Amino acid sequence: MSQETDEIQKVVEETATWVPRLREEIRKVIVGQEYLIDRLIVGILANGHVLLEGVPGLAKTLSVRTLATAIKADFSRIQFTPDLLPADVVGTLIYNPRTSEFQTRKGPIFANVVLADEINRAPAKVQSALLEAMQERQVTLGDETHFLPKPFLVLATENPIDQEGTYPLPEAQVDRFMLKLRVDYPSKKEELRILQEMATTKPKTDVDPVIDLNEILKARETVDQIYVDPKIQQYAVDLVFATRKPSDYGLDMDHFIQFGGSPRATISLILAAKAWAFLQGRGYVTPHDIKTIGMDVLRHRVIPSYEAEAEGYASEQIINRIFDTVAVP
């Protein structure tokens, strides 16, 4: 197995040469936010959608747009509002009286990178229009199915404050996001740099494309080859099972969890860990990779009970206790 791992390691080193170039290009516009940028790249590599939560002004939208430009991807931005309709997202059929036929008008969902801005400001009927696109990578209009371009990635933002006029995301849609990121304020040093570089009437927002989509697709093939030891696989399964039945792992927390992670969480955990290992230039996954990316995979899938909320337990605290308790291989 070590010989096979060595071969995968060589492939990773050859394939991942574009990662430093991409990071450097993004840094021309984005100051700090290393956590955000790295997780966005993980989403692209692991073919998983990303949900970003943070207060306004933290460069969430700018980061997504910059990333899409740097990888030569078609970018589409959808501003979710209460009056948005499903047809405004996926498209619709338009009747042509000249030909007496319906013609397909594709919506903005037909792009490589789709930014769903303030996704929780649209009602459930609009949010549900994304379900088929996010899971099957296709859209059905009338009796025809249209496949979305490859790669296809939905990056959605939501605002944790100012909840007036917002709608909670359905569980089925939340579970379709591989990662949920909590975007925090920059450090004092980073904010000083932001001030020095962006406090102008013409802030720099232009980046050059440094990689193309074929390189992304090739990198995904390499990510699939990254070695995951059976013990690591069992560790991921144990972590997700512990979110469903903590008492089986010695945790008296069953009453704190309303819903735990689904099998999709286990799959996402391994895929995201593989992508993270790729970013580190490794051809194998370690338990530390699982722990590093695990919070982003699980925080939106572990739903605390009312009792947990009453006692001040958020999903992050529950997950941290699970990480501290489940035996590491």
Side-chain angles (χ1 to χ4, degrees):
M1 185 57 68
S2 60
Q3 181 178 357
E4 181 181 345
T5 305
D6 291 340
E7 293 176 358
I8 297 173
Q9 180 69 35
K10 292 179 182 178
V11 175
V12 169
E13 292 173 355
E14 294 172 358
T15 310
T17 54
W18 54 265
V19 173
R21 287 186 284 123
L22 179 60
R23 285 175 172 155
E24 190 63 31
E25 195 65 27
I26 294 175
R27 288 194 189 105
K28 292 181 180 178
V29 176
I30 306 299
V31 177
Q33 298 293 10
E34 302 293 335
Y35 162 82
L36 170 60
I37 293 169
D38 283 347
R39 267 62 177 182
L40 290 178
I41 299 176
V42 166
I44 290 176
L45 289 171
N47 195 23
H49 311 292
V50 183
L51 180 62
L52 294 76
E53 182 180 281
V55 298
L58 297 182
K60 299 187 297 296
T61 301
L62 182 60
S63 297
V64 173
R65 184 184 295 274
T66 302
L67 177 66
T69 303
I71 62 175
K72 299 182 184 178
D74 291 332
F75 174 75
S76 180
R77 181 178 183 272
I78 308 172
Q79 183 64 51
F80 279 65
T81 57
D83 61 344
L84 198 70
L85 298 174
D88 298 327
V89 176
V90 299
T92 187
L93 298 176
I94 304 296
Y95 182 72
N96 188 339
R98 293 183 179 178
T99 61
S100 299
E101 295 178 347
F102 285 95
Q103 297 179 342
T104 301
R105 177 171 294 179
K106 295 181 179 180
I109 196 73
F110 288 87
N112 297 117
V113 178
V114 178
L115 172 60
D117 214 2
E118 295 188 310
I119 190 172
N120 57 339
R121 292 200 175 276
K125 66 177 181 180
V126 180
Q127 296 173 12
S128 62
L130 292 172
L131 293 179
E132 181 185 12
M134 293 175 67
Q135 183 63 30
E136 282 83 23
R137 266 70 176 181
Q138 65 184 34
V139 171
T140 302
L141 297 173
D143 57 356
E144 291 187 13
T145 297
H146 304 269
F147 293 99
L148 294 166
K150 294 182 180 180
F152 171 73
L153 189 69
V154 173
L155 305 176
T157 68
E158 63 176 358
N159 193 343
I161 62 176
D162 186 22
Q163 294 300 319
E164 183 178 353
T166 62
Y167 301 83
L169 297 181
E171 296 301 328
Q173 183 171 9
V174 171
D175 197 42
R176 278 167 169 77
F177 286 101
M178 174 176 284
L179 307 174
K180 180 179 180 179
L181 313 182
R182 299 250 192 228
V183 186
D184 205 353
Y185 290 107
S187 66
K188 188 180 294 186
K189 184 178 179 181
E190 290 171 343
E191 190 143 355
L192 180 59
R193 279 191 56 204
I194 293 172
L195 175 63
Q196 294 169 343
E197 296 182 14
M198 305 298 286
T200 173
T201 57
K202 293 183 179 179
K204 183 178 179 181
T205 58
D206 295 331
V207 295
D208 298 321
V210 293
I211 59 172
D212 58 34
L213 298 180
N214 288 330
E215 289 182 270
I216 295 293
L217 297 176
K218 183 179 178 181
R220 285 184 176 180
E221 294 177 358
T222 303
V223 168
D224 286 337
Q225 298 176 41
I226 288 179
Y227 176 71
V228 184
D229 189 271
K231 293 181 180 179
I232 302 292
Q233 296 177 7
Q234 186 61 53
Y235 179 53
V237 171
D238 286 338
L239 287 172
V240 175
F241 263 73
T243 68
R244 305 172 192 167
K245 198 72 174 175
S247 58
D248 290 350
Y249 297 85
L251 285 167
D252 184 21
M253 298 178 64
D254 286 10
H255 55 294
F256 282 167
I257 299 177
Q258 185 176 4
F259 297 107
S262 68
R264 190 184 280 128
T266 313
I267 296 171
S268 296
L269 191 55
I270 290 297
L271 278 176
K274 283 184 173 184
W276 183 255
F278 179 91
L279 287 184
Q280 312 312 307
R282 275 188 282 103
Y284 57 91
V285 172
T286 67
H288 184 66
D289 295 329
I290 298 287
K291 284 195 170 186
T292 299
I293 206 72
M295 180 63 74
D296 302 311
V297 173
L298 295 174
R299 64 158 48 96
H300 56 300
R301 293 183 163 100
V302 176
I303 311 301
S305 64
Y306 291 114
E307 186 175 348
E309 293 176 354
E311 296 193 22
Y313 274 89
S315 61
E316 285 90 346
Q317 293 169 292
I318 296 173
I319 294 167
N320 279 328
R321 286 193 60 184
I322 290 173
F323 277 132
D324 292 340
T325 303
V326 175
V328 179

